[in-house]
């Protein structure tokens, strides 16, 4: 079939690009960390998408569950070879076939439904490097990086996710044979959810309760071979399979694992920290806090991933909104681009601002992470708790906002957003998994709340405060907020002030309950609604301040005036929008006049108007290629209707005029005299 | 395989049922409109689910796109025969094989992914009855009801949905042959989205622009045969197929339709209102307003449908939360049911209250509808605009809240909510379609806003106000809200007062813009953010007042005290939760003290506590059978883990230990020296 998609772009989108003042190429360099990195990224993408058949991105929509999996494995292998080749050309002798910088491109670019080796890449290798002895790293990590073995990380069980301490898989040390004997004591203890565990991995990091001579020694990690390397058959004592279809991540091949007297050598317990000696002597881990840093690191990745998903959805919806024309504003005028409807602008532009705010916050967190690692190497651990709390907040807020935003963006595309080939539904399905994994969001917010409660009690007791919660001090006195003005600083300060007073109020409820006789944990549980709100605001003030300071700081100093202005407008939008969104809290603690609120409303309307002509250029600046977006609504050239039509014609059901069920079921039914 | 699901229920859920005071059987009778109706519903469900193979609900998850469709057709035919048989036993001689009361059961009970004849049932027959002459009804509606023909409703086009006036399909009258000639003038004019149009329907109500002698005569409806009744092949000039996979509604078989010089007899235009005489004389429709009532009717159905979806999801998540145990509250205690965590209660109970609030509002709207129909039959049309505005508000708010709620409920189930067999993802996919169809929600809210602007100008001009907007009068004077007290009436009055003042403010912005020289539509567009907020609040006060008044009115008079108390607590929760949610608006217009706000917060916490022991009994009271819920997390007996495990074992990928891609792709890759 010759393509009906015109070779020239849609005139509406051409006009948008011509009229924008913001320079999308300049923005792309800024967004991707410099001209060199952008060039790299483009070359890698070009290589990965080269030679793929037309409509490859649609194909998996029409395969059955098994077909989706097998095709994903094939594509993983093809992509891996391409990546390896690139890697060798650029860095001969380098061994890492999954260079971190490529992961983004790899994971949601080429495989819209994600891949069965994602967990192998992101966790299996890293955990061995982080928790293994040098010998273990030498033995396992190399083989894993070379993909001679494929692994996964098996922690969560059918009945335990959040409460890791409650997991029931058991490893008993047998000093006679110097082996661990692994067992799944009951159905609820089956490992559940590890990516690639179903039919892909042949090894797993199994998290289990260690027992030595019947004595409990806490949670440890064990490398267990689960499938034969030659036949891929499950190893003896291993009950393994996939958990079935999910809301998203169609190709991740999440699996289950039951173990029955599976014996592994003593050397298969990861022993960088805790150790088991041949005779069964247990040596406790000298450090307990360091695993926090792994979590901080992983959460930076997740924030960046979900921010990217949000910006992908925003790009698709914004391009569609530039091309779709509907419903005249003045009855006698022609139908405008739907982006001219202010209600539509309100659906699009705040999501763009939010995506960038989290992108920047993740980068900033990354810098803090590296500073903290340096400090730790110098023996200073004081910053760990606040790093942990900030990373929890960022992860919880980013994934919550990104998911809600992606769905709003999908809905902003009307009916056509409901089609699979719009791809926003898939983006949502993949993004929303992060709401739960690596710390369920509500659980994370409650951890922040615990940190805030502790910080507040330090404050009351006059102890030294960590810098990230120094602002709580304002909560000690009521009615101390300086006069409201229209500056960005004022909005950020208002969020801090509100967060401080929300913390005070939550702490008061918590204390009252304890004084009324509740235990501390009961009081915490019963105050959790207010505590959650305080935790949320703690995150909000951090993101707002970070976004504001980073955009007005040195990192944007070299941008041209119009490009910088576009970013400034996004900060303005983000801050005003956030303030209005939390007005219920702000108004409880800060006296705003009717005119103040009206002025915020006016600013919201004004900044939407300013962003309107720049929106396409801004989203172009994220530099998502058509292959990455994989959307009939979001292609760079804006030829939406032709792509929708062409995609429909490619549906396998349309390859024959009449489906089998007609003669078999429908016709006899229509003819039956009922 | 013998089932591993125990024959006895989970003890946690048994305990819940034993300890509840609310009577779920009594609640079920109340919810379903009486003992007789409940009995009927159960018998029908029993019949429909009888004889279905085990796990039938999972099967379609693992089929390919084509397989899902063909299986759905088969099931539709089986279910239709069962329904017909039931119908004949109960009402011999009755002709309607789609008794309205059965539709709910039919549409989302038996077919979790909806069905390819949904549009035939809900629209094709009704449109002919509503818009056809007696002869047309005799000819077409009977055949359709007997399923001798299968139809659909083809209005939306690739480039026009919201703005129906913009559709481009054209029908030219040829008086020589007394035929209409139908054409799709361009790609953008292809019909897109009609349910069942792809490969199921052989007829379609095609909405097109009528031209007589080149003169435009507005939009009319035409019955077009699109496929041959014997061969099911597309008729000459008909380009037809399905539009491809969607986010939900996997089996609805939505289609596209292009027409090229398709000729149909003059009698195929539906002529109850407008008419074309054989010589080409056009007789305009004597009525223009009546079609509003069809929309009101359809929106009642949608509100009821999405409220039901929300309550289904709430039932699943609540049952899961009674069985899942995680994370001790006191560190030394055993892990509690997660429903004991207050944060979890906040995710569950407000959704239950919201679902019932909309269920009741839809019923109330239905009564208003019938009253209005009576009035219209007596020549009184005055109530139409407010009925239209209220139905728009109900539809927009219910579908928005239901979808957000369903997704929150899914996320409240943690990782396991992400599994397809939890079924909340499917429920969401089907529910969220209603956000867009039958009036996109933002577009509907803007219509309400237009009605409010008009009403406000009536108010200012001293004209008579319709009763549903009489409350706007309070917006004329500031600071007139009586002292805040803790009654339900006070909360409802506060919502009304706030809605009135929001309308004032929005109207002021709108007027200012017009005075500054903008045209009325421009000013409306530029004020649309505030107008949308006013429209939302107009809906909120209606739902809040309806819920409150209906639960405290005669309809619950016969309930036992504990059951009535449960409903009262749901009203309390709904009102307090709604007030807190809109506190940003309320605080702008009403002076609440810090103590007032704290008291609302305390009430929220108190009512969650009261509802905790009743939650399972309340959700039991919706009487969703296991077949309808189709969820491993939500079965009545609470045997969650066994069902999850059994479902995973049924995945087709688990029927063989090694997938084909291993030998073909993975093994060579693992062995390659890279």
């Amino acid at each position: 079939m010759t393509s009906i998609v015109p070779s020239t772009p849609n005139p509406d989108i051409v006009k948008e690009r011509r009229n924008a003042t913001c320079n999308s190429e300049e923005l792309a360099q800024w967004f991707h960390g410099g001209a060199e990195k952008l060039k790299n990224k483009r070359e890698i993408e070009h290589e990965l998408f080269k030679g793929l058949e037309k409509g490859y991105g649609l194909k998996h929509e029409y395969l059955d569950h098994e077909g989706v999996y097998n095709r994903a494995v094939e594509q993983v292998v093809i992509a891996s070879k391409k990546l390896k080749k690139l890697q060798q050309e650029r860095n001969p002798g380098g061994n890492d076939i999954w260079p971190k910088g490529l992961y983004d491109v790899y994971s949601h670019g080429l495989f819209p439904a994600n891949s069965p080796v994602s967990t192998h890449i992101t966790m299996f290798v890293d955990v061995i490097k982080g928790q293994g002895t040098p010998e273990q790293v030498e033995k396992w990590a190399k083989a894993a990086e070379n993909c001679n073995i494929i692994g996964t990380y098996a922690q969560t069980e059918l009945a335990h996710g959040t409460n890791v301490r409650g997991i029931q898989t058991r490893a008993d040390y047998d000093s006679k044979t110097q082996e661990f004997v692994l067992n799944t004591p009951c159905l609820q203890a089956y490992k559940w959810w590890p990516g690639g565990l179903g039919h892909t991995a042949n090894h797993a990091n199994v998290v289990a309760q260690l027992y030595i001579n019947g004595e409990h020694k806490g949670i440890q990690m064990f490398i267990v071979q689960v499938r034969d390397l030659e036949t891929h058959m499950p190893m003896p004592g291993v009950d393994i399979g996939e958990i079935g279809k999910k809301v998203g991540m169609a190709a991740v091949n999440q699996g289950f694992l039951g173990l029955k007297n599976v014996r592994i050598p003593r050397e298969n317990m990861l022993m960088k920290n805790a150790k088991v000696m041949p005779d069964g002597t247990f040596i406790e881990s000298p450090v307990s806090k360091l695993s926090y840093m792994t979590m901080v690191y992983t959460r930076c990745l997740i924030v960046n991933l979900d921010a990217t998903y949000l910006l992908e959805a925003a790009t698709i919806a914004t391009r569609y909104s530039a091309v779709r024309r509907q419903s005249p504003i003045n009855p006698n005028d022609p139908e405008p681009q739907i982006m001219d409807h202010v209600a539509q602008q309100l659906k699009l532009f705040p999501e763009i601002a939010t995506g960038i705010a989290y992108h920047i916050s993740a980068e900033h967190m990354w810098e803090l992470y590296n500073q903290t690692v340096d400090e730790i190497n110098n023996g200073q651990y004081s910053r760990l708790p606040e790093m942990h709390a900030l990373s929890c907040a960022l992860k919880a807020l980013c994934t919550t906002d990104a998911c809600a935003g992606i769905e709003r963006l999908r809905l902003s595309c009307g009916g056509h957003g409901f089609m699979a080939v719009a791809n926003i539904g898939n983006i949502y399905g993949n993004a929303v998994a992060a709401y739960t994994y690596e710390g369920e969001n509500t659980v994370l917010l409650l951890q922040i709340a615990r940190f805030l409660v502790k910080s507040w009690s330090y404050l009351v007791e006059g102890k030294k405060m960590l810098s990230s919660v120094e602002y709580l001090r304002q909560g000690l006195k009521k009615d101390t907020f300086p006069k409201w003005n229209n500056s960005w600083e004022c909005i950020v300060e208002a969020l801090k002030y509100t967060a401080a007073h929300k913390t005070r109020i939550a702490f008061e409820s918590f204390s009252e309950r304890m004084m009324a006789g509740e235990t501390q944990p009961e009081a915490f549980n019963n105050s959790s609604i207010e505590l959650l709100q305080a935790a949320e605001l703690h995150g909000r003030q951090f993101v707002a301040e970070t976004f504001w300071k980073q955009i007005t700081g040195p990192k944007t100093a070299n941008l041209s005036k119009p490009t910088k202005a576009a970013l400034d407008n996004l900060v303005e939008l983000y801050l005003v929008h956030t303030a209005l969104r939390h007005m219920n809290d702000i108004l409880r603690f800060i006296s705003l006049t009717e005119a103040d609120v009206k002025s915020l409303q006016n600013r919201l309307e004004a900044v939407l108007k300013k962003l309107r002509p720049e929106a396409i250029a801004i989203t172009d600046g994220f530099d998502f290629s058509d292959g990455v977006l994989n959307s009939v609504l979001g292609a760079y050239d804006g030829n939406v209707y032709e792509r929708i039509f062409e995609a429909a014609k490619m549906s396998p059901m349309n390859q024959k005029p009449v489906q089998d069920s007609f003669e078999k079921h429908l016709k006899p039914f229509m003819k039956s005299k009922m």
Side-chain angles (χ1 to χ4, degrees), chain A:
Chain A
M1 194 170 86
T2 343
S3 176
I4 61 160
V5 179
S7 56
T8 51
N10 179 296
D12 278 330
I13 213 159
V14 172
K15 184 195 74 185
E16 294 294 328
R17 293 192 174 114
R18 200 172 45 226
N19 293 346
T21 62
C22 151
N23 183 326
S24 55
E25 184 63 20
E26 191 186 6
L27 197 60
Q29 291 181 9
W30 173 81
F31 188 79
H32 288 281
E36 185 63 24
K37 283 193 181 165
L38 178 64
K39 187 168 155 276
N40 263 341
K41 180 198 88 90
R42 284 178 177 164
E43 281 178 26
I44 293 164
E45 277 185 7
H46 178 75
E47 194 60 35
L48 283 177
F49 288 107
K50 205 170 64 183
L52 292 177
E53 79 273 42
K54 193 175 142 194
Y56 81 96
L58 305 181
K59 284 227 165 146
H60 84 272
E61 298 290 351
Y62 296 115
L63 297 172
D64 64 15
H65 188 61
E66 211 167 330
V68 168
Y69 170 74
N70 285 312
R71 184 163 169 278
V73 171
E74 179 181 4
Q75 295 220 332
V76 160
V77 168
I78 294 172
S80 304
K81 287 179 182 163
K82 285 180 173 178
L83 286 176
K84 183 68 186 171
K85 194 162 158 273
L86 269 176
Q87 177 76 3
Q88 281 170 341
E89 284 167 16
R90 279 150 194 253
N91 178 21
N95 201 16
D96 189 356
I97 92 151
W98 308 109
K100 286 282 172 280
L102 300 188
Y103 183 67
D104 267 10
V105 180
Y106 162 75
S107 70
H108 62 275
L110 190 62
F111 310 109
N114 249 295
S115 105
V117 296
S118 299
T119 312
H120 173 74
I121 304 167
T122 50
M123 296 198 70
F124 185 65
V125 182
D126 281 357
V127 165
I128 295 172
K129 285 185 174 172
Q131 312 287 328
T133 61
E135 300 76 39
Q136 290 176 320
V137 172
E138 176 66 21
K139 179 173 177 189
W140 302 105
K142 249 192 187 166
E145 280 182 336
N146 275 332
C147 294
N148 304 129
I149 60 173
I150 307 284
T152 184
Y153 181 78
Q155 175 177 303
T156 298
E157 297 175 355
L158 196 42
H160 283 95
T162 292
N163 185 22
V164 181
R165 286 184 201 178
I167 65 164
Q168 296 171 279
T169 301
R170 188 177 165 122
D172 283 89
Y173 185 63
D174 180 348
S175 58
K176 279 181 233 117
T177 60
Q178 298 188 22
E179 287 172 320
F180 296 102
V181 189
L182 280 94
N183 273 292
T184 302
C186 58
L187 178 68
Q188 281 84 341
Y190 261 72
K191 294 295 176 188
W192 210 263
W193 283 111
L197 176 61
H199 298 83
T200 317
N202 40 50
H203 284 72
N205 274 322
V206 173
V207 179
Q209 306 283 2
L210 170 63
Y211 285 83
I212 303 179
N213 298 323
E215 221 174 277
H216 184 218
K217 299 293 181 189
I219 286 175
Q220 306 295 340
M221 286 180 210
F222 304 86
I223 297 186
V224 180
Q225 183 173 349
V226 292
R227 285 178 180 272
D228 184 88
L229 292 178
E230 281 300 317
T231 65
H232 211 50
M233 286 296 285
M235 299 296 280
V238 168
D239 183 18
I240 197 169
E242 67 125 15
I243 65 167
K245 206 173 154 186
K246 293 131 290 165
V247 168
M249 301 192 148
V252 175
N253 190 226
Q254 278 111 338
F256 62 78
L257 175 69
L259 301 168
K260 197 170 177 186
N261 291 324
V262 172
R263 289 183 164 260
I264 55 170
R266 186 185 64 90
E267 293 78 10
N268 282 25
M269 179 176 129
L270 293 178
M271 297 206 205
K272 181 177 178 184
N273 302 313
K275 290 178 182 44
V276 175
M277 298 292 103
D279 66 353
T281 308
F282 181 70
I283 301 174
E284 273 188 66
S285 168
V287 284
S288 64
K289 285 175 178 168
L290 283 181
S291 63
Y292 276 125
M293 287 308 278
T294 315
M295 287 194 257
V296 173
Y297 165 81
T298 313
R299 282 170 196 154
C300 280
L301 286 185
I302 293 173
V303 172
N304 203 41
L305 186 68
D306 265 27
T308 304
Y309 281 135
L310 176 59
L311 293 174
E312 287 177 4
T315 303
I316 294 169
T318 304
R319 287 180 180 166
Y320 178 66
S321 300
V323 169
R324 174 81 166 179
R325 290 179 166 271
Q326 200 85 169
S327 300
I329 291 170
N330 282 310
N332 300 323
D333 287 352
E335 291 181 299
Q337 294 161 283
I338 57 173
M339 217 202 297
D340 288 335
H341 293 287
V342 172
Q344 185 73 1
Q345 295 167 13
L346 188 67
K347 293 181 186 184
L348 302 172
F349 304 162
E351 307 305 341
I352 296 174
T354 301
I356 299 184
Y358 284 118
H359 170 81
I360 283 174
S361 300
E363 268 189 3
H364 179 56
M365 175 66 74
W366 187 246
E367 290 162 4
L368 291 178
Y369 171 85
N370 287 324
Q371 286 170 25
T372 310
V373 169
D374 287 349
E375 289 175 12
I376 289 173
N377 291 339
N378 293 322
Q380 295 205 338
Y381 292 85
S382 62
R383 225 197 226 175
L384 262 176
E386 69 182 342
M387 278 301 291
H388 182 246
L390 283 178
S391 74
C392 287
L394 253 191
K395 188 271 184 185
L397 295 191
C398 173
T399 55
T400 302
D401 289 351
C403 294
I406 293 166
E407 187 62 356
R408 272 192 295 268
L409 289 161
R410 188 182 70 69
L411 290 168
S412 82
C413 297
H416 294 340
F418 196 61
M419 289 194 286
V421 291
N423 204 33
I424 311 183
N426 284 324
I427 291 172
Y428 181 79
N430 294 336
V432 78
Y435 187 101
T436 307
Y437 68 62
E438 286 296 313
E440 195 276 337
N441 283 356
T442 304
V443 175
L444 290 184
L445 287 171
L446 288 171
Q447 286 179 14
I448 302 159
R450 267 182 210 101
F451 170 72
L452 290 177
V453 163
K454 203 169 175 182
S455 302
W456 187 267
S457 62
Y458 279 17
L459 184 65
V460 175
E461 294 160 16
K463 288 189 190 159
K464 193 173 177 297
M465 299 288 284
L466 291 164
S467 68
S468 68
V469 283
E470 179 57 41
Y471 75 87
L472 289 179
R473 196 175 299 280
Q474 300 174 80
L476 289 173
K477 275 193 202 152
K478 292 186 196 178
D479 303 321
T480 54
F481 192 79
K483 203 179 141 34
W484 183 269
N485 67 49
N486 280 330
S487 69
W488 289 347
E489 185 175 3
C490 174
I491 293 177
V492 171
E493 287 303 322
L495 290 172
K496 282 176 185 285
Y497 186 87
T498 306
H501 282 274
K502 274 292 232 190
T503 303
R504 170 180 57 78
I505 283 183
F507 189 86
E508 284 168 3
S509 299
F510 168 70
S511 309
E512 281 164 21
R513 288 192 162 97
M514 277 171 64
M515 288 197 285
E518 294 183 13
T519 66
Q520 187 173 322
E522 276 163 9
F524 188 87
N525 183 32
N526 287 327
S527 309
S528 58
I529 298 174
E530 284 178 303
L531 287 163
L532 285 168
Q533 291 166 349
E536 180 187 343
L537 277 163
H538 176 63
R540 294 266 172 251
Q541 59 81 25
F542 174 73
V543 177
E545 182 169 39
T546 305
F547 191 20
W548 160 48
K549 290 201 167 160
Q550 295 290 317
I551 292 293
T552 49
K555 284 185 185 164
T556 58
N558 295 324
L559 291 178
S560 70
K561 223 171 148 184
T563 303
K564 175 64 165 51
L567 290 176
D568 284 346
N569 283 329
L570 289 167
V571 174
E572 162 82 358
L573 173 58
Y574 184 78
L575 293 179
V576 169
H577 194 248
T578 303
L580 286 168
R581 196 174 155 191
H582 285 280
M583 201 43 78
N584 54 344
D585 296 316
I586 294 173
L587 286 177
R588 280 180 73 180
F589 308 111
I590 301 175
S591 290
L592 270 78
T593 63
E594 186 59 37
D596 292 331
V597 181
K598 192 171 164 60
S599 143
L600 283 170
Q601 179 66 32
N602 291 344
R603 283 168 71 182
L604 176 67
E605 288 157 358
V607 76
L608 291 176
K609 196 166 227 153
K610 281 185 197 163
L611 285 165
R612 164 66 189 85
E614 309 295 338
I616 288 294
I618 292 170
T619 52
D620 284 350
F622 306 135
D623 205 62
F624 296 123
S625 67
D626 284 357
V628 166
L629 294 180
N630 193 27
S631 167
V632 294
L633 305 186
Y636 186 80
D637 67 8
N639 289 318
V640 164
Y641 295 122
E642 293 84 356
R643 276 204 176 74
I644 296 178
F645 192 73
E646 195 165 86
K649 288 276 182 178
M650 283 169 71
S651 155
M653 277 181 73
N654 290 334
Q655 307 317 308
K656 52 184 177 191
V658 178
Q659 287 287 312
D660 301 344
S661 53
F662 175 70
E663 286 291 338
K664 230 165 141 181
H665 304 293
L666 199 57
K667 190 173 170 183
F669 177 58
M670 281 164 51
K671 300 235 164 191
S672 68
K673 297 250 180 278
M674 299 216 310

